[in-house]
Amino acid sequence: MRGDDELASWVRDGYARAYRSAVLICRNPADAEEAVQDAFLRAWRFRDALPDGDGREPWLYRVLVNSCYSKLRREIPRRDREGELSHAHADRHGELDGPEQLAEHALIADAVADSIAGLPDQLRIPVVLRYFTGLSEREIALAIRRRPGTVKSRLHEARRRLAADPSLSALATDMGMAR
Amino acid sequence: MNDHSTVDDEHIDALLEQVLRDAAARIDVPSGAVDRVLTAAGPARHAMSIRSQPARAYGRPLAVAASLAAVIALVVGVVASAPGSHTSSDKASSGGAAAPSVPADAQRLFPKTAEQQRGFQVGASPPTSSAPSHASGGAGGPSGGAADAAKIVRTASVQLEVEQRGALRQTSDRVRAIALGAGGYVSTSEVQAESSAPSGSITIRVPVGAYDTVVNQLTALKGTKLLGSAESGRDVTASYTDLQAQITALTGERDSLLVVLSKAQNIGDILAVHDRLVAVETSLDQVQGQANLLADQAAMSSIAISLAEKAPAAPAAPKPKHHAGGLAGAWSDARHGFAHATESIVAHSGGTIVVVLALLALVFLVRYLYPVLRRGLL
């Protein structure tokens, strides 16, 4: 990252994805915004130490995950987080157009809220980084400081649990993905 | 109940991507958040690298820096005055040659960084690290086959009876000699040879390669009888490998931070990087310590030996009296019970009960016996 506008373009390009990842991890929009800001600033501060190319993304998400972890552990009890995230989703339902679309999105929202929020942190974070953020298992390993094999096993366990989740199964049926 | 009976495996990935994408799409990105990040970045936005950022960008007031420098100077003074400090610094300077260079200012400010750097490179193994599996120090990462080899923690316990009276000390010396002869050492030893029932317990640590030989020697130790033995083996390979992976990752991060530190030129930059560096090195210390402990346990087997002299032939104990049954037995029990109760009362009441009884006897004499005697005399 060199030049005056590099930080601006980097933040503009990556902020939305990082923020949404942080909300899914922290389950609290305010914490997520703080974590993302902290992650970008730290990553920028140490940009000379960042590896070039693909390494920059895991580095950013490593800092982001660390910030989220610290907030998950220290600041707000879990029950409050879950309530705030559900409330944030509920606020958006009113902006959808038709009743069918609203129902479909509500179903998806419920399925995601139940399934993702029900996972423990060590499973939820790899799931978010893999299926939303789009990091590879190796990049996730760098981000959460674990071996790729550990990431693989955690993703497997998360998939196993989610596959048995009734709400996700209902969603799969609705989308024609169930057996 | 947690099988994949409802969702196909191949569909789970796509389903998760879909639902997470939809869920994320419904998460509003706060308006102006990007601008807030850029505002918070402040002068850093225009800076080419960390070394040209003003110290204020890191939020480190000058007073904090001055206080920290004073505390560190005090610690340096204490360390410098401690015995052996020259040796440590000499080793630090030689051991840090392969690491990223740290500016002289940073080394003066944070001597512990160089100290810890030496620790990572030469390893923090205990003195027993001469064993093969301990030779994996370099740079905190696994080195070749040593790290990949299976790590089995083997322990044993042996209970021996010393057959000859008075030979406990001699036997414990033999155990010690066996340990030393195998390249091990005595970890703990407690021998009570002069007591009425001489016994002792010795724990020895021997190289894992000599474990079987030592156990065989102990179980066949001359002048002793094997009363019992137990062995256990715990595979810690997975834990050790995981720790090594963490060490590698932390070492890489530390090296990156050292590179950044080497480019920092003002106190604010150095403090900012050092905060993170200290956290990483603390984690690295902890993980390294756990790895060293596992390596030590795997390299040096622990064997606990219990020694006890054979009990001497007991002198002919007085033959217990035949316990009478029936009324005679009941009478005997009653007498013993009364005696015990009386002893107990006297013991618990101290001298009070004796005084009370004496006074009662005197009253009895005055009240009943004296009139009789008086009538007889008259």
Side-chain angles (χ1 to χ4, degrees):
Chain A
M1 303 286 291
R2 295 288 184 271
D4 288 348
D5 293 331
E6 285 187 7
L7 174 62
S9 66
W10 186 35
V11 173
R12 288 198 179 94
D13 289 346
Y15 188 90
R17 192 162 66 124
Y19 173 75
R20 286 169 174 146
S21 299
V23 170
L24 292 171
I25 292 172
C26 296
R27 295 176 293 178
N28 178 277
D31 280 354
E33 186 175 351
E34 287 181 14
V36 173
Q37 176 170 316
D38 188 44
F40 272 110
L41 292 181
R42 282 195 187 194
W44 175 254
R45 187 182 303 164
F46 296 106
R47 63 190 182 280
D48 281 347
L50 297 184
D52 291 333
D54 295 341
R56 187 184 302 156
E57 198 78 349
W59 177 278
L60 172 67
Y61 280 93
R62 171 187 288 192
V63 181
L64 182 62
V65 168
N66 282 343
S67 298
C68 289
Y69 260 134
S70 65
K71 292 183 182 304
L72 283 168
R73 288 170 181 164
R74 294 175 189 167
E75 293 176 7
I76 299 179
R78 172 168 297 195
R79 57 182 180 278
D80 294 341
R81 295 177 179 282
E82 291 169 350
E84 288 188 33
L85 182 59
S86 300
H87 191 259
H89 284 157
D91 288 346
R92 286 286 295 157
H93 290 164
E95 300 175 14
L96 297 172
D97 295 334
E100 291 180 4
Q101 191 179 1
L102 178 64
E104 181 182 354
H105 280 272
L107 180 61
I108 294 173
D110 290 344
V112 172
D114 290 345
S115 304
I116 304 297
L119 291 175
D121 294 344
Q122 69 266 23
L123 298 183
R124 189 177 70 257
I125 292 173
V127 165
V128 171
L129 294 179
R130 178 73 186 90
Y131 293 108
F132 172 67
T133 312
L135 299 185
S136 68
E137 289 177 353
R138 181 174 177 78
E139 290 171 332
I140 296 171
L142 289 172
I144 66 172
R145 300 183 190 183
R146 291 290 183 271
R147 292 178 300 160
T150 303
V151 173
K152 187 185 287 288
S153 66
R154 288 186 181 180
L155 285 172
H156 175 78
E157 174 63 15
R159 278 195 295 265
R160 189 185 67 80
R161 294 192 189 190
L162 291 170
D165 186 274
S167 59
L168 201 70
S169 301
L171 185 63
T173 303
D174 189 57
M175 297 176 70
M177 289 183 175
R179 267 190 290 220
Chain B
M1 76 184 207
N2 286 337
D3 59 6
H4 296 187
S5 58
T6 53
V7 185
D8 290 333
D9 282 344
E10 62 267 28
H11 289 147
I12 291 178
D13 287 353
L15 189 60
L16 287 175
E17 286 177 3
Q18 176 70 37
V19 295
L20 277 170
R21 196 163 50 240
D22 289 348
R26 288 179 292 106
I27 297 172
D28 271 336
V29 177
S31 59
V34 171
D35 292 336
R36 283 195 289 276
V37 174
L38 297 177
T39 303
R45 181 181 177 183
H46 303 287
M48 289 303 293
S49 71
I50 187 171
R51 60 178 173 273
S52 59
Q53 294 177 27
R56 195 168 62 83
Y58 301 98
R60 302 292 181 195
L62 190 60
V64 174
S67 304
L68 189 57
V71 171
I72 291 171
L74 183 62
V75 172
V76 170
V78 172
V79 171
S81 63
S85 61
H86 281 296
T87 304
S88 297
S89 61
D90 289 347
K91 288 181 181 176
S93 58
S94 61
S101 61
V102 178
D105 287 347
Q107 286 190 347
R108 279 200 303 275
L109 280 169
F110 310 112
K112 194 179 177 186
T113 299
E115 186 83 9
Q116 289 177 342
Q117 190 174 323
R118 176 188 62 81
F120 295 134
Q121 287 180 345
V122 301
S125 302
T128 55
S129 63
S130 57
S133 62
H134 275 243
S136 60
S143 69
D148 299 331
K151 298 285 181 189
I152 310 292
V153 177
R154 301 185 71 180
T155 58
S157 63
V158 178
Q159 290 86 43
L160 298 174
E161 183 183 69
V162 180
E163 294 179 325
Q164 185 181 349
R165 185 76 176 166
L168 185 74
R169 183 72 67 184
Q170 187 181 3
T171 305
S172 70
D173 290 342
R174 285 180 183 162
V175 170
R176 182 186 300 269
I178 289 174
L180 296 177
Y185 62 94
V186 176
S187 176
T188 62
S189 174
E190 183 179 355
V191 176
Q192 296 172 337
E194 308 304 328
S195 66
S196 57
S199 64
S201 61
I202 304 171
T203 301
I204 61 175
R205 304 284 308 278
V206 296
V208 67
Y211 170 83
D212 291 324
T213 305
V214 169
V215 169
N216 289 336
Q217 287 177 331
L218 289 172
T219 54
L221 194 61
K222 185 180 178 182
T224 63
K225 178 182 175 185
L226 179 65
L227 296 181
S229 64
E231 293 184 62
S232 71
R234 184 164 56 97
D235 190 347
V236 296
T237 310
S239 303
Y240 185 78
T241 306
D242 190 40
L243 289 171
Q244 290 293 356
Q246 291 183 45
I247 289 171
T248 303
L250 287 169
T251 303
E253 185 174 1
R254 184 206 58 190
D255 290 345
S256 298
L257 289 170
L258 285 172
V259 170
V260 177
L261 186 62
S262 69
K263 297 177 180 176
Q265 290 185 340
N266 59 52
I267 187 75
D269 297 347
I270 294 172
L271 288 173
V273 180
H274 181 260
D275 282 348
R276 182 62 191 154
L277 191 58
V278 167
V280 170
E281 290 186 330
T282 301
S283 302
L284 193 49
D285 273 342
Q286 293 172 347
V287 176
Q288 183 75 60
Q290 294 171 15
N292 287 341
L293 178 64
L294 281 185
D296 176 63
Q297 289 178 338
M300 300 292 284
S301 300
S302 181
I303 304 173
I305 303 104
S306 299
L307 298 173
E309 279 193 4
K310 189 175 183 179
K319 202 171 182 178
K321 292 180 180 176
H322 181 68
H323 185 76
L327 283 177
W331 172 244
S332 175
D333 290 344
R335 281 192 296 123
H336 284 102
F338 179 77
H340 288 153
T342 305
E343 289 173 359
S344 177
I345 290 171
V346 171
H348 283 87
S349 65
T352 308
I353 189 70
V354 177
V355 174
V356 169
L357 288 174
L359 288 175
L360 286 175
L362 187 62
V363 168
F364 176 77
L365 285 173
V366 172
R367 176 71 178 81
Y368 296 105
L369 208 55
Y370 177 71
V372 174
L373 290 174
R374 187 181 177 188
R375 279 198 297 271
L377 290 173
L378 293 176

